[in-house]
Amino acid sequence: MRKRTKAAEFSHGDEASNPKSFQEDRNQFPSSKKIFLICLIFRITNSLFVQTYFNPDEHWQALEVAHRITFGYGHLTWEWTKGIRSYLHPMIFAVLYKVLSLLHLDTPLFMIKAPRLFQSLLSAFGDLYLFKLSHVLYGGHVANWALFAQLTNWFMFYCITRTLSNSLETVLTVVSLYYWPSLRTNLTKMPPGSRTWALLTAALACAIRPTSAIIWVYVGITEFFGSHNKLKFIFLQVVPIGSVVLGLTFILDRLMYGSWVLVPLNFLKFNFLSSGGDYYGTHPWHWYFTQGFTVMIFTFLPFMVLGIIQSKNWKLSGLILWVLALYSVLGHKEFRFVLPVLPLALLFSGYSLAKLSQQQHSSNKKSNKNKSFWKIKPALFFLLLTNIPMALYMTMVHQRGTEDVMNYLAKEANQRNVKSILFLMPCHSTPFYSTLHHNIPMRFLDCSPSEIKGIQDESDRFVMDPIGFVSEYVKNWAPPSHIVLFDTEEKYIKDFLFSHSFKKIKRFFHAHFKVDRDLQASVVVYALLDQ
C-alpha cells in the first residue's frame, strides 16, 4: 500500500473531500451521542467549579430579569428602560425558575447552582458541534484534538458555563457554522436542510445579541458568492427565516415591555452611533490583538497560528480576523465580546496538535506511533501545565467574595435573619435578588449613564469620597439591617459604621490582585445591633 504524504494527510478538507476515506475515518470514532455525553459530564463538572464573579451581565442582564419575570420582583437596570435588551435570553432562565418553583426546589442551593448547570447543557452542544465541524473539515483525528483544545482552554472553562448571553451566542455560532455550505469543501456530506438550520441558528444568535450580525455578515457574503441560486438564497431563505425569528422576538418584547420596542435598532443607536458603551471605559484599538484575545487563547496561541498556516483555511481563519478587527473599532472592549470566535481559534490549535502528533491511521507502524507520542508529549505538558492552574484559580479563587457574600446572605435571609441590605460598593458588584430570592428592601449605588456629561454617578462619588458620601446619605436613610462593602472603602468608614451601631459580622476573601480599581482583597458584612 502506498503511503500518503504528510501534506496530503492534513490538507484542507482532505478527509471531507474523499467520501470513502471520510466514512472509514468517521467509523473509527465515537458517535455524536457518546461525544455529547462526555462533553455534558465535563461541562456539568465545569459549572460546579465556577464560584467566582466575572461580569455583572451574567446576573443583572439574565438571571435578575428572569427572576423578575417568574417571581415578580427583581431589579431591571437602565438598559431595560432604554429598550436595548431583548427578553429572549432571560426568558430561557425564567422557564427554568418556573420549573424550580413548581417543584418547590427554589431553595438557595438550587437558585445558585441550577442556572449554570442548565448553561452547561447548552455548552455541551457547543463542544459537540465544534467536534463535528472539525470532523467534516479535517477528519476525526483533528476533531479529537480540537475537542481537547476546547475542553482544556482556561478561558473557555472560565466563561462558557456562565449565564452570559455571550455564552449562548457562542454555542449558536458554532452550531450554525457547522451547517453553512460555504465553509465546507464536500457538499455531498451536508445534513438535510443544512442551510435552513444555519440561518435559523444565526438568526437566533442575532436576536439574543445584535452584535452577532458582525459574524453573519462575513459568512453570509461568502455564502452568497458561492451560491448557485443567489435570488433563492436571499428571498426564499434569508428573508423568510430572519423575518420569522426576529418577528417572534419583537412580539415577545412587545408583550414584556408593554409597547413596541425595536431592540436591535436601539442597541445599534446606543453602542455604535452614540458610543454609549464608552461610558464604562475604553481601550486602545489594538487591545484585542495585544491583550484581550491573546489572554483568552493563552498558550494555545502559537498552535493556533501554526494551525492556520498549515491548514490554509483562509476563509474560516479570516472570520476570526474580521471579528477582532470590527470589534477593535469600538472604544468599549470586553473579553466576552469575542468569545464566539474562540472555538474557531481552538479548532486551528487542534489542527496543529494533530499535525504534531503525526498519528496516521491504517498505514502507521507501532514504532512511528511511539515516536509521534514523544513529539506531542512536551506540547501537551506545556498546555496542561499552563491552562489547568489558570482555569482553577480564576474559577475558584479570583473575585469570589462577591459571590460568597450573596450566597451567605441568601441562607441568612432564608432563616429570616436579614431584613434589608445596603451595598456600599461600586454598582453591580454582586448578584442581587436572583441569588437572595427574598423580597426584602435592597439598595445599591446607582451608576446609570447620565445624559449630562461631567455628572458623577453615586458609585463614583462613593469611591472618591466614602466618608463624605455616607455622611450625606444617612441624613435621609432608614438604617438597613446589613451593609456590604469592600475592604478598600471599609477603612475609611469603619468608625462611622461603629458610631451608627453597626458591627462587623463576616469577611470574605475576594482577590489577590486588582483588576480595574484598587485591590479589593475582601468583602465585609456589617450588621445593625439590636435590630
Side-chain angles (χ1 to χ4, degrees):
M1 181 182 292
R2 182 183 300 173
K3 292 184 179 180
R4 294 181 295 175
T5 63
K6 291 182 180 179
E9 181 185 327
F10 285 95
S11 62
H12 171 54
D14 178 66
E15 297 294 344
S17 62
N18 186 335
K20 184 177 179 182
S21 173
F22 177 78
Q23 184 67 35
E24 292 171 354
D25 183 52
R26 183 176 65 180
N27 289 339
Q28 295 179 13
F29 289 88
S31 68
S32 292
K33 290 181 180 178
K34 290 181 180 178
I35 293 296
F36 177 73
L37 182 61
I38 292 170
C39 295
L40 179 60
I41 293 172
F42 183 87
R43 289 305 177 197
I44 288 174
T45 306
N46 182 173
S47 71
L48 296 176
F49 272 90
V50 177
Q51 301 172 36
T52 55
Y53 197 80
F54 170 42
N55 188 279
D57 282 13
E58 178 182 6
H59 299 283
W60 292 83
Q61 306 299 352
L63 303 184
E64 191 68 17
V65 183
H67 192 277
R68 183 183 179 93
I69 294 171
T70 306
F71 299 105
Y73 62 97
H75 184 83
L76 296 182
T77 62
W78 62 270
E79 288 98 329
W80 297 91
T81 60
K82 295 283 187 179
I84 64 173
R85 298 276 183 177
S86 172
Y87 276 92
L88 181 59
H89 183 241
M91 191 61 70
I92 297 171
F93 296 100
V95 173
L96 173 65
Y97 282 151
K98 189 64 177 178
V99 171
L100 292 178
S101 177
L102 292 174
L103 296 176
H104 302 290
L105 292 176
D106 52 329
T107 61
L109 178 63
F110 280 95
M111 293 298 292
I112 293 166
K113 296 296 183 183
R116 285 176 179 164
L117 285 171
F118 180 74
Q119 180 62 39
S120 69
L121 171 66
L122 303 176
S123 302
F125 279 103
D127 298 333
L128 169 64
Y129 273 87
L130 181 68
F131 177 89
K132 294 176 70 170
L133 176 62
S134 307
H135 206 308
V136 298
L137 292 178
Y138 306 115
H141 182 48
V142 172
N144 283 339
W145 283 107
L147 185 59
F148 164 81
Q150 172 87 345
L151 298 182
T152 56
N153 172 259
W154 84 269
F155 194 85
M156 194 61 69
F157 190 90
Y158 175 62
C159 190
I160 197 64
T161 61
R162 295 180 184 273
T163 55
L164 292 160
S165 59
N166 310 86
S167 299
L168 181 54
E169 177 195 10
T170 301
V171 172
L172 292 171
T173 298
V174 177
V175 173
S176 184
L177 291 175
Y178 169 75
Y179 287 108
W180 281 99
S182 62
L183 300 178
R184 299 192 180 204
T185 56
N186 181 20
L187 299 183
T188 62
K189 292 295 177 181
M190 293 299 299
S194 183
R195 188 183 281 168
T196 300
W197 282 109
L199 287 166
L200 180 61
T201 47
L204 284 172
C206 291
I208 288 169
R209 283 194 64 80
T211 49
S212 190
I214 291 174
I215 295 174
W216 306 117
V217 165
Y218 177 96
V219 177
I221 290 174
T222 61
E223 186 73 19
F224 176 79
F225 285 108
S227 176
H228 296 298
N229 193 331
K230 294 178 173 55
L231 291 178
K232 177 183 177 182
F233 172 62
I234 295 296
F235 294 105
L236 297 182
Q237 293 180 314
V238 174
V239 173
I241 293 173
S243 298
V244 168
V245 172
L246 295 180
L248 290 175
T249 306
F250 290 156
I251 292 173
L252 173 64
D253 289 334
R254 168 67 177 82
L255 294 172
M256 300 307 298
Y257 276 107
S259 61
W260 289 106
V261 176
L262 300 180
V263 170
L265 180 60
N266 294 338
F267 190 93
L268 178 68
K269 286 180 179 179
F270 181 81
N271 287 287
F272 290 88
L273 303 182
S274 66
S275 299
D278 292 358
Y279 179 82
Y280 293 105
T282 59
H283 296 84
W285 69 268
H286 55 77
W287 184 80
Y288 283 118
F289 295 96
T290 58
Q291 298 177 59
F293 197 69
T294 305
V295 169
M296 294 165 65
I297 191 71
F298 201 41
T299 50
F300 281 96
L301 178 61
F303 299 96
M304 177 199 75
V305 174
L306 191 59
I308 290 173
I309 295 171
Q310 291 172 334
S311 68
K312 296 182 175 59
N313 190 341
W314 310 122
K315 188 183 294 183
L316 199 57
S317 58
L319 176 57
I320 300 174
L321 181 61
W322 165 267
V323 170
L324 295 181
L326 260 66
Y327 273 109
S328 295
V329 175
L330 301 177
H332 180 61
K333 300 174 177 66
E334 295 186 34
F335 294 104
R336 62 192 178 93
F337 291 169
V338 295
L339 181 64
V341 294
L342 181 58
L344 298 184
L346 295 171
L347 184 157
F348 288 113
S349 301
Y351 186 98
S352 63
L353 288 170
K355 178 81 170 177
L356 181 63
S357 73
Q358 294 182 353
Q359 188 175 355
Q360 300 177 10
H361 299 293
S362 59
S363 62
N364 236 0
K365 294 181 180 180
K366 187 174 181 180
S367 60
N368 289 335
K369 287 184 179 180
N370 292 335
K371 191 180 295 183
S372 68
F373 173 75
W374 288 105
K375 277 188 176 182
I376 193 68
K377 189 175 181 180
L380 292 179
F381 183 76
F382 169 69
L383 290 170
L384 294 175
L385 187 64
T386 51
N387 280 272
I388 291 178
M390 185 77 159
L392 294 178
Y393 179 79
M394 295 299 291
T395 55
M396 300 184 70
V397 180
H398 181 60
Q399 296 190 148
R400 68 170 296 149
T402 49
E403 294 269 342
D404 288 342
V405 70
M406 286 307 295
N407 297 348
Y408 161 76
L409 289 172
K411 294 174 183 176
E412 289 293 298
N414 203 43
Q415 298 173 6
R416 303 294 188 269
N417 295 330
V418 181
K419 296 182 176 63
S420 58
I421 307 172
L422 170 64
F423 296 88
L424 289 177
M425 53 206 323
C427 64
H428 307 142
S429 292
T430 69
F432 214 52
Y433 283 111
S434 60
T435 295
L436 192 78
H437 194 47
H438 280 274
N439 193 10
I440 61 174
M442 292 203 292
R443 168 83 158 86
F444 67 94
L445 304 182
D446 183 62
C447 60
S448 303
S450 174
E451 296 181 359
I452 305 174
K453 291 186 177 181
I455 301 296
Q456 289 185 323
D457 57 44
E458 285 186 333
S459 182
D460 287 336
R461 295 206 310 271
F462 171 70
V463 171
M464 292 189 67
D465 183 15
I467 189 65
F469 181 90
V470 295
S471 297
E472 187 67 26
Y473 183 80
V474 298
K475 293 179 180 179
N476 300 302
W477 79 340
S481 67
H482 291 74
I483 293 179
V484 182
L485 69 164
F486 285 117
D487 62 315
T488 46
E489 283 72 47
E490 180 202 17
K491 60 187 178 184
Y492 296 110
I493 64 173
K494 180 168 55 176
D495 293 338
F496 180 91
L497 293 175
F498 287 151
S499 67
H500 283 76
S501 303
F502 282 92
K503 176 185 178 182
K504 179 163 52 180
I505 59 170
K506 205 78 175 176
R507 181 180 295 272
F508 297 92
F509 165 81
H510 186 60
H512 289 116
F513 57 90
K514 66 179 183 178
V515 180
D516 54 356
R517 301 177 184 267
D518 293 335
L519 172 62
Q520 296 164 333
S522 59
V523 178
V524 191
V525 180
Y526 280 77
L528 186 65
L529 298 175
D530 303 325
Q531 52 178 307

